[in-house]
Amino acid sequence: MEKLIITAAICGAEVTKEHNPNVPYTVEEIVEQAYGAYIEGASIIHLHVREDDGTPTQSKERFKICMDAIKEKCPDVIVQPSTGGAVGMTNEERLQPTELHPEMATLDCGTLNFGGDEVFTNTENTIKEFGEKMIERGVKPELECFDKSMIEMAVRLNKKGFIKSPMHFSFVMGVNGGIGGDLRDFLFLRDSLPCGSTYSVAGLGRFEFSLAAAAIISGGHVRVGFEDNIYLEKGVLAESNGVLVAKVVRIAKELGRQIATPAEARAILGL
């Protein structure tokens, strides 16, 4: 079985210090959280950025400052900026970090009802545009799928040339409006993947570690971090992203799965 790639989603666009005071906003806080996750075993830092007051932004300049600072502290880590941004942002805003030519970036494969009146919109034309821009800029997409239909969309657009092979998927599970976080749901998504693809699993909230274990056993990869879950265990706030990564490492060790270095992760993902 391949070694386990751990991605740390260190801050997201929605979680705040009111949820957990350790959520990073400033450049210094983002670097500290990225480094803590990296030294515990994360090969990939999934990155949203904020203004110092916590406001989410897709500013290319802010991304560059944060990415450069992370790479200075963690020279070999893979920095994977998000093109999801926050609800209401334009395609042009969301695509800004790909202008920096990162190795990877996320590509959301469908529209989702986040709750209330919030709709995270990703039309077919949006997905095509993002796919084309990533090909043009030499960026490997991590295909974020919140339901099975989004896997089907990615496969169809791959056949049409908007997404290159081999494809790497991220199952984001337990989100309001998307697929649930039960083992049944995980197996449904995993068994829907095309041959030759790789995948990672991000379980939100209480689903984070049960789905991590399922992915580890099944040969997939794992994402953890404050974007998805702020608790180390029920009722216990995590002090850092690093402790969440460390918990996955312990689970993997118990299950006999070795952890991939950034270099090994690049080989597995074809970067």
Side-chain angles (χ1 to χ4, degrees):
M1 193 177 290
E2 289 177 331
K3 291 187 178 182
L4 176 70
I5 300 170
I6 302 175
T7 298
I10 61 175
C11 62
E14 308 294 337
V15 68
T16 69
K17 289 183 182 292
E18 284 67 40
H19 298 115
N20 184 325
N22 300 303
V23 172
Y25 292 170
T26 68
V27 176
E28 292 75 17
E29 289 171 342
I30 284 172
V31 172
E32 179 184 8
Q33 289 293 331
Y35 180 68
Y38 166 74
I39 61 173
E40 291 294 347
S43 295
I44 301 174
I45 302 298
H46 170 71
L47 187 64
H48 290 254
V49 296
R50 312 285 191 96
E51 302 294 353
D52 286 351
D53 66 358
T55 304
T57 178
Q58 285 294 105
S59 161
K60 179 175 69 174
E61 291 74 24
R62 185 71 167 184
F63 264 103
K64 185 175 189 329
I65 291 168
C66 290
M67 290 167 68
D68 287 349
I70 290 170
K71 293 292 282 186
E72 183 175 348
K73 189 77 172 176
C74 321
D76 62 336
V77 80
I78 300 164
V79 181
Q80 179 198 86
S82 170
T83 65
V87 170
M89 289 183 177
T90 66
N91 289 358
E92 291 72 22
E93 285 180 280
R94 290 169 56 188
L95 278 166
Q96 285 184 81
T98 65
E99 296 175 29
L100 301 171
H101 301 279
E103 294 175 89
M104 298 184 77
T106 59
L107 196 170
D108 295 280
C109 293
T111 294
L112 195 72
N113 291 324
F114 269 161
D117 292 323
E118 287 198 349
V119 179
F120 182 36
T121 303
N122 294 281
T123 67
E124 181 178 12
N125 286 339
T126 292
I127 301 164
K128 288 178 177 179
E129 179 185 356
F130 280 41
E132 287 182 317
K133 289 293 185 185
M134 291 188 191
I135 291 171
E136 175 188 318
R137 294 168 180 169
V139 180
K140 183 179 179 73
E142 180 178 78
L143 303 165
E144 292 206 342
C145 296
F146 299 81
D147 215 334
K148 182 181 185 295
S149 61
M150 300 188 191
I151 295 175
E152 305 301 330
M153 174 67 79
V155 170
R156 188 161 61 83
L157 295 185
N158 167 254
K159 291 177 180 177
K160 292 187 174 184
F162 293 99
I163 297 170
K164 290 179 67 175
S165 297
M167 292 186 285
H168 178 64
F169 292 84
S170 176
F171 305 157
V172 186
M173 304 182 65
V175 180
N176 190 64
I179 199 166
D182 293 330
L183 181 60
R184 170 203 61 195
D185 305 316
F186 163 70
L187 294 173
F188 185 45
L189 296 184
R190 186 201 64 181
D191 293 346
S192 301
L193 291 178
C195 293
S197 57
T198 53
Y199 71 92
S200 183
V201 182
L204 266 69
R206 64 188 178 88
F207 298 114
E208 184 162 76
F209 295 109
S210 58
L211 285 172
I216 291 166
I217 291 169
S218 302
H221 305 286
V222 174
R223 180 178 111 175
V224 292
F226 285 158
E227 178 171 355
D228 305 326
N229 167 53
I230 56 173
Y231 293 96
L232 182 62
E233 57 187 72
K234 187 174 181 178
V236 180
L237 286 174
E239 295 178 0
S240 67
N241 284 277
V243 300
L244 298 174
V245 172
K247 184 169 181 176
V248 171
V249 172
R250 291 196 299 274
I251 294 170
K253 184 177 180 180
E254 289 295 326
L255 295 173
R257 188 98 179 263
Q258 293 183 302
I259 308 302
T261 66
E264 290 167 335
R266 286 183 174 91
I268 292 167
L269 298 172
L271 299 180

